[in-house]
């Protein structure tokens, strides 16, 4: 199958393009939001092909996967094809509502031509999609291997733009914990965080390649996921797959993703601090929780299940 979609979420796409299809990725000279093409910090197979808007005009994909409301118009402008009419389409919803959940109307609500596919059950519950057909295909993770060593007695956090996304990302929670326990932060926008938290000097790490990030994360004793409001951060699942024990807030989809044997989910900062201290003091205890986290992540979020679920849905939509 030839699937057209925009490169929007790199970690999710890294798993998706491992399938057996051909993936057509819009690309422009600036590699901006509507033309990123192939990933620059992940390794993708040759079946993920970059095409300019001009090249796309001569293509007729079997399916288009939309991820943002304006992409249907881009599709029609660049190819002359109308999503759900001239070419089968689904709308993939990565995010939880940004407004009040009880009043958040999905942009594809109350239409029947284009199914809305959510990445978590939490997303589907929070969005009002009216009479639109919906489905849930939970995340899939490419197994990086059991890389955990836990040799560094500190907690790892992965977050992009932590200053801009303070409340959403739980940056304030992380900063409070970092005054009590050693914390290292990985992601983009570390310069702004350095200005806001000078005590983290030497513990901020900017924009690693995925393979480098995995090895760096796995050297830390545990992973801390402070997000208040998100769909389900893939960094949390990646940390579990690496074999890391995890701390997280008990919000959104996290309670489904993290069993008690794999770590602690709590909205009490004192409880999170206490468990983090336990792991820092007892590497064996941390390693046992990390092994349970990896086993659970491979079972629930394995790549084979993820790709099989998507194959079943796309075949149904195209048929």
């Amino acid at each position: 199958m030839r699937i057209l979609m925009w490169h929007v979420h790199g970690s999710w796409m890294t798993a998706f393009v491992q399938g057996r299809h051909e993936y057509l990725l819009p690309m422009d000279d600036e590699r901006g939001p509507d033309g990123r093409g192939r990933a620059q910090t992940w390794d993708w197979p040759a079946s993920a092909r970059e095409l300019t808007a001009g090249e796309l005009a001569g293509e007729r994909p079997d399916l288009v996967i939309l991820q943002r409301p304006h992409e249907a118009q881009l599709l029609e402008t660049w190819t002359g094809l109308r999503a759900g009419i001239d070419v089968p389409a689904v709308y993939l919803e990565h995010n939880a509502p940004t407004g009040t959940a009880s009043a958040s109307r999905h942009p594809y609500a109350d239409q029947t031509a284009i199914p809305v596919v959510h990445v978590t059950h939490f997303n589907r519950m929070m969005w009002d999609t009216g009479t639109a057909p919906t489905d849930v295909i939970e995340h899939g993770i490419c197994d990086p291997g059991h890389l955990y060593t836990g040799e560094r007695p500190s907690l790892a956090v992965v977050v992009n733009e932590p200053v801009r996304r303070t409340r959403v990302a739980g940056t304030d929670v992380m900063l409070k914990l970092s005054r009590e326990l050693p914390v290292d932060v990985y992601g983009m926008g570390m310069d702004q965080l350095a200005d806001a938290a000078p005590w983290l000097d030497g513990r901020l790490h900017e924009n690693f390649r995925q393979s480098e990030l995995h090895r760096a994360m796995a050297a830390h004793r545990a992973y801390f996921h402070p997000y208040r409001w998100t769909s389900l951060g893939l960094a949390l699942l990646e940390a579990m797959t690496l074999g890391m024990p995890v701390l997280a807030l008990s919000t959104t989809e996290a309670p489904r993703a993290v069993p008690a044997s794999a770590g602690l989910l709590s909205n009490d900062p004192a409880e999170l601090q206490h468990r983090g201290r336990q792991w820092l003091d007892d590497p064996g205890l941390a390693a046992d929780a990390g092994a349970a986290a990896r086993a659970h992540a491979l079972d629930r979020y394995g790549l084979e299940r993820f790709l099989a679920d998507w194959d079943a849905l796309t075949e149904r939509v195209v048929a």
Side-chain angles (χ1 to χ4, degrees), residues 11 13 88 99 108 155 193 240 280 296 308:
S11 292
M13 282 285 286
Y108 276 71
L155 307 180
L193 188 59
M240 294 172 66
L280 294 178
H296 179 78

Side-chain angles (χ1 to χ4, degrees), residues 116-295:
V116 178
V117 181
H118 298 277
V119 297
T120 67
H121 293 276
F122 178 83
N123 275 14
R124 179 159 67 172
M125 181 61 68
M126 292 299 106
W127 278 108
D128 176 7
T129 52
T131 58
T134 63
D135 211 328
V136 176
I137 297 182
E138 295 186 283
H139 288 295
I141 299 293
C142 299
D143 182 10
H146 193 170
L147 301 181
Y148 179 71
T149 66
E151 63 201 59
R152 296 187 62 181
S154 66
L155 307 180
V157 174
V158 176
V159 59
N160 289 326
E161 299 184 83
V163 173
R164 182 182 67 82
R165 303 166 68 206
T166 298
R167 292 286 298 176
V168 169
T171 304
D172 57 316
V173 180
M174 180 269 293
L175 291 180
K176 182 177 180 181
L177 184 68
S178 73
R179 289 188 174 276
E180 306 297 331
L181 300 176
V183 172
D184 283 70
V185 188
Y186 296 82
M188 295 183 288
M190 294 298 105
D191 50 347
Q192 292 95 335
L193 188 59
D195 293 337
W199 65 90
L200 288 176
D201 182 46
R203 292 186 175 274
L204 303 179
H205 313 279
E206 179 79 22
N207 202 23
F208 282 35
R209 286 184 61 85
Q210 189 183 46
S211 58
E212 297 169 347
L213 176 61
H214 285 162
R215 292 195 177 278
M217 289 169 61
H220 293 277
R221 189 67 47 81
Y223 179 75
F224 179 41
H225 193 70
Y227 284 75
R228 276 191 179 88
W229 184 257
T230 184
S231 176
L232 178 62
L234 280 170
L236 173 65
L237 301 182
E238 290 171 354
M240 294 172 66
T241 308
L242 292 167
M244 301 182 73
V246 296
L247 300 173
L249 303 188
S250 186
T251 58
T252 66
E253 190 82 353
R256 180 177 174 86
V258 183
S261 59
L264 174 67
L265 272 64
S266 175
N267 295 323
D268 182 348
E271 288 186 348
L272 296 169
Q273 179 184 331
H274 177 69
R275 181 63 63 86
R277 175 57 65 190
Q278 283 185 315
W279 286 338
L280 294 178
D281 293 341
D282 189 337
L285 186 67
D288 288 345
R294 175 170 166 79

Side-chain angles (χ1 to χ4, degrees), residues 26-108:
M27 183 268 293
D28 59 32
D29 292 340
E30 293 76 27
R31 293 192 179 272
D34 294 332
R36 287 197 177 101
R38 289 171 56 89
Q40 304 300 297
T41 55
W42 288 274
D43 294 323
W44 287 1
S47 56
R49 295 200 298 119
E50 297 178 334
L51 291 92
T52 65
E55 291 168 334
L56 281 169
E59 298 285 342
R60 191 174 186 89
D62 300 300
L63 175 74
V64 60
I65 297 180
L66 307 170
Q67 300 170 83
R68 297 167 297 172
H70 72 281
E71 288 179 355
Q73 185 57 58
L74 285 179
L75 174 73
E76 187 168 356
T77 300
W78 292 357
T79 69
L81 300 173
R82 295 164 296 173
I85 300 173
D86 303 313
V87 58
V90 301
Y91 189 97
L92 173 60
E93 183 52 75
H94 290 277
N95 302 312
T98 55
T100 304
S102 61
S104 291
R105 190 81 166 157
H106 196 275
Y108 276 71

